[in-house]
Amino acid sequence: MAEQLLQAALLGIVEGLTEFIPVSSTGHLILVIEILGFAGPPGRVFEVAIQLGAILAVCLIYFGRLWRVTMGLGGGDPRAWRFVLAILLGFLPAAVLGVLLHGFIKAVLFHPTVVCVALILGGIAILVIERFLSHPRYHEIERFPASLALKIGLFQSIAMIPGVSRSGATILGALLMGVDRRTAAEFSFFLAIPTMLGATVLDLYKNWEHLNTDDALLIGVGFVTAFLAAAVVVRTLVDFVGRYGFAPFGWYRIALGSLMLAFLYL
């Protein structure tokens, strides 16, 4: 059990470090689990549930902004309502498709080869989009048209393929739609809250009868380490991409996907 707890802590750190950067946290977890031989809770519950630790980091770091939005809703602030509408519309496609395709995704797509190919293709996409990025038109989430938020949400739903990256698909979709880098990264943070909460609730509901006390302990350890690692990333990512863009993540994805394919098949 001690070895499993150490593995759970390591996987939590991996989740926290990768959830909000465009490299696919789910893809990393699948690959690391394959390497470690981690035997955790059934139905991939562990990989999804510990993402709540990363989401909690966003909620705490952006608590002030989220609180102002909440108060603004009660006071009829139109900017607060536009913010919430953008998040809800961005969340909608993943919510619908997640419920419809949940079984297929878990049974067929959660495979290391799928992850490696998606990492490489996603890395190439990042480099191409960064190279030909047009001048941004949107600099505030509160000014997103409803159609823009919905289109970004459609991009996010592509991340149901492990290795694509939820944050990566969301950010790249936003960049293509004319959102500046910093705002694209922040929108990805906020959009993660309902998306990952919904995914976790669905997974726990479908696997609840198979879970036991040991599973809860493993999830708890992964949750805490994911929270701590994500807090570091969330505090630094916006400034990093504002200075260097997303190209470093593209090169990283290509290198990791290629190395893991070699590891799996050579």
Side-chain angles (χ1 to χ4, degrees), residues 13-236:
I13 292 171
V14 171
E15 157 61 27
L17 292 178
T18 58
E19 176 61 42
F20 298 110
I21 61 177
V23 299
S24 178
S25 61
T26 301
H28 275 71
L29 289 175
I30 291 173
L31 295 177
V32 176
I33 285 171
E34 181 78 10
I35 294 171
L36 296 178
F38 177 72
R44 302 285 182 180
V45 169
F46 178 84
E47 297 97 296
V48 177
I50 64 172
Q51 292 173 328
L52 286 184
I55 300 308
L56 179 60
V58 170
C59 292
L60 291 181
I61 291 171
Y62 282 93
F63 177 80
R65 183 168 180 179
L66 293 172
W67 180 255
R68 287 193 297 273
V69 168
T70 303
M71 293 297 98
L73 293 176
D77 182 357
R79 286 176 58 83
W81 281 101
R82 285 197 295 268
F83 179 93
V84 171
L85 179 62
I87 300 300
L88 291 177
L89 289 174
F91 166 65
L92 182 61
V96 174
L97 293 176
V99 172
L100 294 177
L101 302 177
H102 179 269
F104 172 78
I105 293 167
K106 296 291 183 180
V108 178
L109 297 182
F110 271 64
H111 190 278
T113 301
V114 174
V115 171
C116 292
V117 172
L119 282 171
I120 294 170
L121 294 179
I124 295 171
I126 288 175
L127 296 178
V128 171
I129 291 173
E130 278 282 274
R131 175 68 178 81
F132 298 101
L133 196 61
S134 59
H135 187 71
R137 303 189 304 277
Y138 302 103
H139 306 277
E140 290 183 285
I141 297 172
E142 291 82 356
R143 293 184 178 273
F144 281 11
S147 59
L148 172 63
L150 187 60
K151 289 174 184 176
I152 296 174
L154 289 172
F155 273 96
Q156 178 181 236
S157 65
I158 300 172
M160 292 180 184
I161 303 172
V164 169
S165 170
R166 185 207 59 79
S167 60
T170 305
I171 289 168
L172 292 181
L175 293 178
L176 287 172
M177 296 296 107
V179 180
D180 72 75
R181 290 187 179 96
R182 296 174 67 91
T183 305
E186 288 190 338
F187 188 62
S188 174
F189 293 163
F190 295 124
L191 194 54
I193 297 173
T195 302
M196 300 320 306
L197 180 61
T200 302
V201 170
L202 181 60
D203 263 316
L204 289 175
Y205 171 75
K206 289 182 175 291
N207 294 280
W208 187 258
E209 60 193 37
H210 305 297
L211 299 175
N212 55 48
T213 304
D214 289 343
D215 293 332
L217 181 58
L218 291 174
I219 291 172
V221 169
F223 178 96
V224 171
T225 55
F227 165 77
L228 295 174
V232 174
V233 172
V234 172
R235 287 187 179 278
T236 58

